[in-house]
């Protein structure tokens, strides 16, 4: 729309707009954060600023707009109202914007980045800003100069720089160092200086700057160089810029000293004296001369030649190898050959004066020819070396030697010189033939090479020696040998998989492949053991459990690579060491013990069996009682449970204990078990009569009572259980007008009238009732007096009471109550103790509920106890809750136990 508006204004408006164009200059550092103020266009153009009265009155208000958002627009933010220009979130990097040092502009619409003005080092950000409305319209050219900051360190393009300097370079020689350091920063922030960390006292650096401002470092030689003394110098070149603080970069600088031909050949000696026999054969080595040149390569190449002073006969007699300096006999020495030869030899180097050495050769004249030794080898021989296999049999022939005098004038003898299992003996019937043979088997592992000599000498004492070398060939005659035949190892259980056990080592005295040893597990080794064939490393692939298996024993083999293969066997024993990984374990989680009550204190109740699969201290177990320790104690070593005091079933019929077992490991492991102690009943309580409540109480019985009618009852309980609590009732004493008129039910204790009462049956009846249990071995009982007063009414109560106070004259009957019960005393006596105890235990468990219910019943009856206690009682008896409607006033009764 803005462009259409400008086209609509026509030429005059375009001219006016141009005339009102303005240019503003700003500068800022690179790398500034967002929001930094660059400048205020309204203030710098002297336009009404935002917030002023003049600006608030403008309609439409003053606005500033970037003509186009190009490359430069992304780095700034323009406030449309105030005209303030700020840096944006895109950080300005001068080195990225101005990629060239001069004359470069990167366009981006109407905004561009330029480094063409005002100086070669300037980096300009160009913006076009439009100011509206029409009366303030103008096109503002904003130029922002980006100032360089020292945010880049110098950097060498290569990490290692190599420079060659000839060793004869004079002092102050300057050599340019290629690959100078680069620094994207400009001006003083760029590279300023170079230095060496170690100049070795012979080097320094200088910097030259060209017309473009580029700085190049130069290496300057400050002292004499000698390649033969030191051929290389390694240091670090450091480039430093001029920023504050300065930044540095470095690279390794290697200065190599190149060789020049500044050394000539030299002989260590000036003269060499040599003696040569006149009968020496052609090609006999006479001497070797050797010169040294300290230079390198072609500069150190040496050739040898005779001096012009050496006569031609000597040149013909002795050949000189110009490369090696070796002198050999080239022609036969005869009688006319001079006995002294002076050989002047030159050592020639390129560009050098030759080095000189003199070799004096003295020839000794020999009047006779030496004996001849001619070998003819039977065994395999190559270049004078005889090859024999070890373990060859005794008397293995090696060679024939023919010994003779070439002049056939002198007698020749021979002998064998040198150590070894060899023998040289005449070979009959020939006179000059000798056989060389072995005297015992050869052993490669003892000695591999023998050097012997066949020496021949004549009667004139002239000796000739023929050297024979015997090389023993190896055979696979040795088995591998383990360093230990019994390999004893140990490892803790619960090891990590593939745990290292040991490295087996076996040696084989044979050589080559025959001595290479491979390792294998024997057939008795478990599958989870592994043995590396090459290294002999023994590992276990799984976790071992000592409680599952503590000892392992198997064989391993060491096999060589010979043919046929030889092997040896060793035994591996592995002991799995214990770790405390098992808690103590009770034989049962719940133990039950049946103990008769009144069991003596510290008697043995039972044995708590506990085990721990671990070994040693980890398997030691200590037992303790967690609850009830004031009553019970346990023997830690034997596990015997005991009670400190005698136990009474009637006070507590059972006990539940928790026993803890703790092992001796670190950290300790523990477990618990439940112990139930059931007390078996013993007949230690006589029946307790609850009704009638006293020997002094009585009951009125009407004469009209019909036979068979219940009169009253005797009610008793027994704190024991089972057969010990089964109660029987019987009348053991009677007194009255017709006392047999009443009978008692032996099971229920109900007293009934047997016969009709007559006129003469009136009066007081006194019945002595025996209440007996069926305990074993001795039943217990109690007695109670039942008083019945037969009459129509009670007219004189004091009279009745006086009768009750009188001691009754009653004869006791020994008649036992007849109650049908399963067990009898006779049967129990004949039975064994153990079945009896089991039966009693079962009955006791069944009676717990009955005793509990009766206890509740007794508690209810206690609330109705009669308060009178006029007489001394042996037993205090509570009232029975069941009261007959015919019962009158109850009075205490004296009760005795029989």
């Amino acid at each position: 729309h803005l462009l259409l508006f400008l086209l609509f204004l026509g030429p005059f408006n375009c001219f006016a707009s141009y005339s009102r164009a303005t240019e503003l200059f700003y500068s800022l550092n690179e790398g500034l954060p967002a929001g930094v103020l660059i400048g205020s266009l309204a203030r710098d153009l002297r336009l009404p600023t935002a917030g002023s009265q003049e600006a608030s009155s403008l309609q439409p208000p003053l606005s500033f707009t970037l003509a186009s958002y190009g490359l430069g627009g992304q780095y700034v933010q323009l406030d449309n109202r105030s005209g303030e220009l700020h840096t944006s979130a895109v950080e300005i990097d001068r080195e990225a914007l101005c990629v060239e040092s001069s004359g470069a502009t990167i366009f981006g619409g109407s905004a561009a980045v330029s480094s063409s003005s005002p100086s070669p080092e300037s980096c300009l950000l160009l913006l076009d800003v439009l100011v509206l409305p029409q009366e303030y319209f103008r096109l503002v050219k904003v130029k922002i100069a980006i100032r360089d900051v020292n945010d880049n360190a110098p950097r060498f393009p290569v990490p290692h720089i190599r420079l060659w300097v000839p060793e004869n370079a004079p002092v102050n020689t300057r050599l340019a160092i290629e690959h100078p350091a680069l620094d994207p920063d400009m001006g003083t922030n760029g590279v300023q200086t170079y230095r060496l960390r170690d100049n070795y006292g012979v080097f320094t650096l200088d910097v030259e700057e060209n017309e473009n401002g580029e700085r190049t470092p130069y290496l300057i030689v400050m002292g004499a160089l000698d390649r033969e003394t030191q051929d290389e110098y390694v240091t670090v070149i450091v480039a430093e810029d001029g920023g504050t603080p300065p930044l540095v970069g470095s690279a390794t600088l290697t200065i190599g000293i190149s060789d020049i031909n500044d050394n000539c050949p030299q002989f260590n000696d000036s003269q060499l004296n040599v003696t040569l026999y006149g009968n020496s054969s052609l090609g006999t080595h006479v001497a070797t001369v050797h010169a040294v040149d300290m230079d390198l390569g072609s500069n150190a190449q040496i050739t040898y030649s005779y001096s012009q002073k050496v006569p031609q006969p000597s040149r013909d007699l002795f050949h000189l190898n110009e490369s090696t300096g070796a002198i050999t006999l080239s022609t036969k020495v005869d009688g006319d050959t001079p006995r002294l030869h002076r050989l002047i030899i030159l050592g020639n180097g390129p560009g050098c004066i030759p080095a000189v050495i003199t070799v004096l050769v003295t020839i000794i004249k020999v009047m006779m020819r030496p004996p001849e030794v001619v070998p003819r080898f039977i065994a395999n021989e190559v270049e004078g070396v005889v090859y024999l296999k070890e373990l060859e049999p005794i008397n293995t022939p090696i060679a024939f030697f023919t010994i003779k005098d070439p002049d056939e004038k002198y007698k020749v003898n021979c002998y064998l010189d040198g150590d070894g299992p060899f023998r040289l003996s005449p070979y009959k019937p020939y006179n000059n033939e000798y056989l060389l043979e072995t005297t015992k088997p050869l052993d490669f592992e003892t000695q591999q090479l023998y050097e012997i000599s066949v020496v021949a000498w004549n009667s004139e004492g002239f000796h000739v020696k023929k050297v024979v070398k015997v090389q023993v060939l190896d055979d696979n005659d040795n088995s591998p040998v383990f360093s230990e035949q019994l390999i004893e190892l140990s490892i803790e259980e619960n090891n990590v998989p593939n745990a290292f056990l040991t490295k087996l080592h076996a040696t084989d005295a044979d050589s080559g492949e025959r001595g290479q040893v491979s390792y294998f597990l024997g057939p008795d080794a478990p599958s989870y053991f592994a043995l590396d064939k090459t290294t002999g490393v023994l590992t276990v692939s799984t976790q071992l459990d000592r409680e599952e298996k503590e000892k392992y024993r198997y064989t391993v083999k060491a096999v060589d690579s010979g043919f046929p293969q030889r092997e040896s066997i060793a035994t591996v024993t592995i002991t799995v060491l214990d770790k405390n990984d098992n808690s103590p374990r009770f034989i049962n989680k719940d133990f039950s013990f049946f103990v008769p009550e009144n069991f003596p204190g510290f008697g043995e109740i039972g044995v708590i069996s506990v085990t721990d699969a671990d070994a040693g201290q980890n398997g030691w177990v200590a037992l303790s009682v967690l609850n009830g320790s004031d009553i019970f104690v346990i023997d830690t070593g034997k596990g015997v449970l005991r009670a400190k005091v005698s136990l009474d079933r009637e006070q507590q019929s059972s006990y539940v204990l928790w026993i803890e077992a703790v092992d001796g490991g670190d950290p300790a492991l523990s477990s618990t078990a439940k112990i139930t102690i059931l007390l078996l009943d013993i007949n230690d309580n006589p029946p307790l009569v609850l009704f009638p409540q006293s020997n002094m109480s009585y009951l009125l019985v009407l004469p009209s009572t019909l036979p068979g009618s219940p009169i009253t009852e005797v009610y008793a309980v027994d704190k024991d259980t089972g057969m010990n609590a089964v109660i029987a009732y019987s009348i053991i004493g009677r007194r009255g007008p017709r006392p047999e008129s009443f009978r008692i039910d032996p099971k229920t204790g109900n007293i009934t009238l047997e016969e009709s009462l007559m006129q003469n049956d009136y009066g007081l009846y006194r019945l002595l009732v025996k209440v007996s249990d069926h305990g074993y071995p001795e039943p217990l009982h109690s007695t109670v007096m039942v008083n019945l007063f037969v009459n129509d009414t009670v007219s004189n109560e004091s009279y009745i009471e006086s009768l009750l106070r009188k001691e009754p004259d009653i004869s006791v009957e020994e008649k036992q109550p007849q109650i049908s019960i399963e067990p009898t005393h006779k049967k129990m006596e004949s039975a064994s103790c153990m079945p009896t105890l089991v039966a009693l235990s079962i009955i006791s468990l069944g009676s717990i509920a009955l005793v509990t219910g009766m206890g509740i019943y007794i508690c209810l009856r206690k609330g109705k106890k009669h308060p009178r206690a006029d007489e001394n009682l042996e037993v205090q008896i509570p009232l029975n809750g069941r009261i007959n409607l015919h019962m009158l006033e109850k009075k205490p009764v004296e009760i005795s136990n029989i």
Side-chain angles (χ1 to χ4, degrees):
H1 294 87
L2 179 60
L3 294 174
L4 293 175
F5 173 74
L6 293 174
L7 291 173
F8 180 76
L9 289 178
F12 296 101
N13 288 333
C14 291
F15 178 78
S17 299
Y18 176 77
S19 65
R20 301 176 67 181
T22 308
E23 191 174 56
L24 295 177
F25 291 93
Y26 298 102
S27 65
L28 76 160
N29 291 339
E30 63 174 324
L32 293 178
V36 176
L37 177 64
I38 300 173
S40 175
L41 301 185
R43 184 182 67 248
D44 297 336
L45 294 174
R46 293 183 176 84
L47 297 175
T49 58
S52 65
Q53 184 177 0
E54 183 180 357
S56 60
S57 62
L58 291 178
Q59 292 296 331
L62 196 64
S63 67
F64 300 85
T65 309
L66 286 175
S68 176
Y69 288 89
L71 178 61
Q74 64 179 321
Y75 298 103
V76 297
Q77 287 182 341
L78 178 61
D79 191 311
N80 293 337
R81 294 298 181 188
S82 67
E84 289 185 348
L85 199 62
H86 295 81
T87 57
S88 69
V90 180
E91 183 180 293
I92 299 175
D93 184 2
R94 183 185 181 282
E95 290 74 34
L97 291 175
C98 302
V99 294
E100 297 184 14
S101 62
S102 64
T105 303
I106 303 174
F107 294 96
S110 62
V113 176
S114 173
S115 59
S116 61
S117 65
S119 68
E121 293 185 0
S122 296
C123 180
L124 297 179
L125 188 65
L126 305 181
L127 304 173
D128 290 341
V129 179
L130 296 177
V131 183
L132 294 174
Q134 178 63 30
E135 58 267 27
Y136 292 100
F137 173 76
R138 66 186 68 191
L139 176 64
V140 182
K141 295 286 187 176
V142 179
K143 295 183 179 180
I144 303 173
I146 309 300
R147 292 193 297 267
D148 183 46
V149 297
N150 191 27
D151 57 346
N152 292 279
R155 186 177 63 86
F156 286 91
V158 293
H160 190 280
I161 302 173
R162 190 170 188 90
L163 185 65
W164 288 98
V165 180
E167 64 176 326
N168 63 343
V171 176
N172 293 326
T173 299
R174 299 171 64 87
L175 299 169
I177 297 178
E178 297 181 0
H179 311 296
L182 304 177
D183 193 328
D185 296 325
M186 301 298 295
T188 58
N189 292 332
V191 178
Q192 299 297 314
T193 60
Y194 291 87
R195 68 175 185 273
L196 295 176
R197 288 188 182 172
D198 186 1
N199 57 19
Y200 295 96
V202 293
F203 299 106
T204 187
L205 287 180
D206 189 20
V207 180
E208 290 185 3
E209 184 175 356
N210 60 16
E211 58 184 7
N212 294 327
E214 296 178 348
R215 295 175 181 266
T216 303
Y218 281 81
L219 181 71
I220 302 176
V221 179
M222 301 297 294
L225 303 175
D226 185 7
R227 187 206 63 80
E228 289 72 33
T229 303
Q230 185 169 349
D231 60 355
E232 185 178 76
Y233 298 85
V234 179
T235 184
V236 175
I237 181 172
V238 179
E240 184 176 310
D241 63 21
T244 304
L247 302 177
V248 298
S250 63
T252 301
L253 176 62
T254 302
I255 305 169
I257 309 302
S258 58
D259 184 52
I260 64 169
N261 192 24
D262 58 346
N263 291 278
C264 290
Q266 291 183 352
F267 288 105
N268 293 330
D269 300 309
S270 60
Q271 182 171 312
L272 186 63
N273 298 320
V274 178
T275 300
L276 180 69
Y277 287 104
N279 61 350
S280 298
S281 59
L282 297 179
T284 299
H285 178 266
V286 178
T288 299
V289 295
H290 180 68
V292 178
D293 192 325
M294 299 298 293
D295 292 325
L296 292 176
S298 61
N299 292 332
Q301 187 174 359
I302 301 174
T303 59
Y304 302 92
S305 63
Y306 284 123
S307 171
Q308 296 295 330
K309 297 180 180 180
V310 178
Q312 190 63 40
S314 296
R315 293 170 181 258
D316 296 338
L317 183 61
F318 300 104
H319 174 262
L320 174 63
N321 189 309
E322 65 176 10
S323 299
T324 64
I327 303 172
T328 56
L329 185 65
S330 59
T331 59
K332 196 73 173 175
V333 177
D334 55 24
D336 297 330
T337 303
R339 297 293 176 248
L340 180 64
H341 297 266
R342 187 182 184 89
L343 306 178
I344 301 174
I345 300 174
L346 305 178
N348 306 295
C352 291
I353 298 175
V356 180
I357 188 172
T358 301
V359 179
L360 292 178
V361 181
T362 301
I363 297 177
I364 300 175
K365 185 177 181 181
V366 179
M367 301 305 294
M368 66 183 75
R369 289 188 292 175
E372 292 182 355
V373 179
V374 181
R376 288 172 292 168
F377 291 99
I378 302 172
N380 183 27
E381 180 267 339
V382 177
E383 296 182 357
V385 179
V386 178
Y387 295 91
L388 290 178
K389 288 185 178 181
E390 64 175 332
L391 303 181
E392 287 281 0
I394 300 176
N395 300 326
T396 297
I398 299 174
F400 279 113
F401 288 89
T402 301
I403 309 299
K404 63 181 180 178
D405 180 17
D407 299 326
E408 297 182 354
K409 296 180 180 179
Y410 305 99
K411 182 180 179 181
V412 179
N413 296 316
C414 71
Y415 66 92
L416 186 65
D417 185 25
D419 296 329
F422 305 102
R423 177 176 57 212
L424 182 66
S425 57
Y427 190 76
K428 297 179 179 180
Y430 305 104
N431 294 328
N432 59 344
E433 297 290 339
Y434 292 85
L435 175 65
L436 178 64
E437 59 186 354
T438 61
T439 58
K440 63 180 180 179
L442 303 177
D443 187 3
F444 175 85
E445 289 72 35
T446 303
Q447 188 169 346
Q448 294 84 39
L449 181 65
Y450 296 89
E451 186 171 321
I452 55 178
S453 300
V454 176
V455 181
W457 81 99
N458 57 20
S459 57
E460 297 296 322
F462 203 101
H463 290 73
V464 174
K465 181 184 294 186
K466 181 65 177 179
V467 177
V468 178
K469 294 182 179 180
V470 179
Q471 176 68 55
V472 181
L473 300 179
D474 188 28
D475 201 356
N476 192 31
D477 60 337
N478 290 279
S479 299
V481 178
F482 279 100
S483 56
E484 296 177 293
Q485 286 298 312
L486 178 61
I487 304 164
E488 296 179 329
L489 307 173
S490 63
I491 184 174
E492 278 194 345
E493 63 176 328
N494 304 330
N495 55 283
V496 297
N498 300 316
F500 172 83
L501 293 175
T502 189
K503 184 176 181 180
L504 303 180
H505 181 66
T507 56
D508 193 316
D510 294 323
S511 63
E513 291 184 355
R514 290 172 291 274
Q516 294 179 358
V517 179
S518 300
Y519 302 91
F520 301 94
L521 290 173
D524 54 345
S527 61
Y528 40 82
F529 288 95
L531 179 59
D532 189 279
K533 175 182 177 181
T534 305
T535 64
V537 172
L538 181 63
T539 57
V540 56
S541 61
T542 186
Q543 282 191 349
L544 300 180
D545 186 359
R546 189 203 66 82
E547 289 72 37
E548 181 179 334
K549 189 171 183 179
E550 184 177 6
K551 296 280 188 180
Y552 294 88
R553 185 182 181 94
Y554 52 86
T555 58
V556 291
K557 294 192 300 182
V559 182
D560 64 20
S561 301
F563 182 81
Q565 289 183 329
R566 301 175 73 95
E567 65 180 40
S568 62
I569 296 176
T571 302
V572 175
T573 63
I574 300 175
T575 301
V576 183
L577 303 179
D578 184 54
K579 291 182 70 175
N580 192 29
D581 57 345
N582 290 277
S583 301
R585 183 178 178 184
F586 289 93
I587 300 301
N588 299 308
K589 294 303 291 183
D590 294 326
F591 289 84
S592 296
F593 296 107
F594 296 91
V595 180
E597 64 174 330
N598 302 329
F599 196 70
F602 292 97
E604 181 178 324
I605 294 175
V607 177
I608 311 299
S609 298
V610 61
T611 60
D612 193 315
D614 294 321
Q617 185 173 345
N618 294 332
W620 296 349
V621 180
L623 298 173
S624 61
V625 181
L626 296 179
N627 62 324
S629 58
D630 54 339
I631 300 177
F632 296 94
V633 66
I634 191 167
D635 187 338
T636 298
K638 298 180 180 179
V640 177
L641 182 64
R642 305 175 189 272
K644 298 178 182 178
V645 296
S646 179
L647 304 178
D648 187 0
R649 189 202 64 79
E650 285 72 36
Q651 292 183 3
Q652 187 171 341
S653 61
S654 63
Y655 296 86
V656 177
L657 304 179
W658 289 96
I659 303 297
E660 182 182 39
V662 181
D663 62 22
D666 184 18
L669 301 177
S670 63
S671 61
T672 57
K674 181 182 178 183
I675 311 297
T676 303
I677 301 173
L678 300 173
L679 297 182
L680 302 177
D681 185 49
I682 291 180
N683 192 27
D684 57 347
N685 291 281
L688 180 63
V689 179
L690 301 181
F691 185 82
Q693 61 184 352
S694 172
N695 288 341
M696 299 298 291
S697 63
Y698 64 93
L699 179 67
L700 177 63
V701 180
L702 299 177
S704 60
T705 302
L706 297 177
S709 299
I711 303 302
T712 185
E713 67 173 344
V714 176
Y715 178 69
V717 295
D718 196 317
K719 294 181 180 180
D720 296 321
T721 60
M723 297 302 296
N724 296 331
V726 177
I727 297 175
Y729 302 90
S730 62
I731 299 174
I732 61 173
R734 305 169 184 263
R735 185 176 180 183
R738 192 154 56 97
E740 63 275 4
S741 300
F742 300 94
R743 67 175 297 273
I744 189 169
D745 190 302
K747 291 184 179 180
T748 64
N750 291 332
I751 297 176
T752 57
L753 180 63
E754 287 291 299
E755 300 174 357
S756 299
L757 297 174
M758 304 300 179
Q759 186 66 32
N760 55 354
D761 293 334
Y762 286 40
L764 180 63
Y765 291 79
R766 308 195 73 175
L767 305 177
L768 180 60
V769 178
K770 179 180 179 182
V771 182
S772 177
D773 61 22
H774 286 74
Y776 178 83
E778 184 68 30
L780 303 179
H781 67 273
S782 300
T783 59
V784 65
M785 188 68 73
V786 179
N787 302 304
L788 303 177
F789 185 63
V790 180
N791 202 0
D792 292 325
T793 61
V794 180
S795 58
N796 190 351
E797 185 175 346
S798 59
Y799 170 71
I800 298 175
E801 291 178 355
S802 64
L803 294 178
L804 293 176
R805 290 191 186 99
K806 295 180 180 180
E807 187 70 28
D809 184 13
I810 300 176
S811 60
V812 178
E813 303 173 3
E814 292 300 329
K815 183 179 180 181
Q816 296 293 334
Q818 299 298 320
I819 299 179
S820 176
I821 54 175
E822 288 297 328
T824 64
H825 298 316
K826 185 175 182 180
K827 290 182 180 180
M828 287 195 296
E829 289 173 357
S830 62
S832 65
C833 292
M834 184 56 66
T836 303
L837 288 176
V838 174
L840 290 175
S841 300
I842 297 172
I843 295 172
S844 298
L845 291 174
S847 302
I848 291 175
L850 177 61
V851 173
T852 303
M854 292 186 68
I856 297 173
Y857 178 83
I858 294 170
C859 291
L860 294 176
R861 294 290 297 175
K862 282 183 179 181
K864 299 181 180 180
K865 184 176 180 180
H866 198 278
R868 296 184 60 184
D870 295 337
E871 300 292 336
N872 293 329
L873 302 179
E874 294 180 9
V875 180
Q876 184 69 34
I877 302 177
L879 292 176
N880 192 321
R882 293 180 294 176
I883 302 175
N884 194 289
L885 294 178
H886 301 287
M887 182 70 69
L888 296 178
E889 183 182 2
K890 281 78 175 176
K891 295 183 181 181
V893 175
E894 183 178 352
I895 300 176
S896 62
N897 292 327
I898 300 177

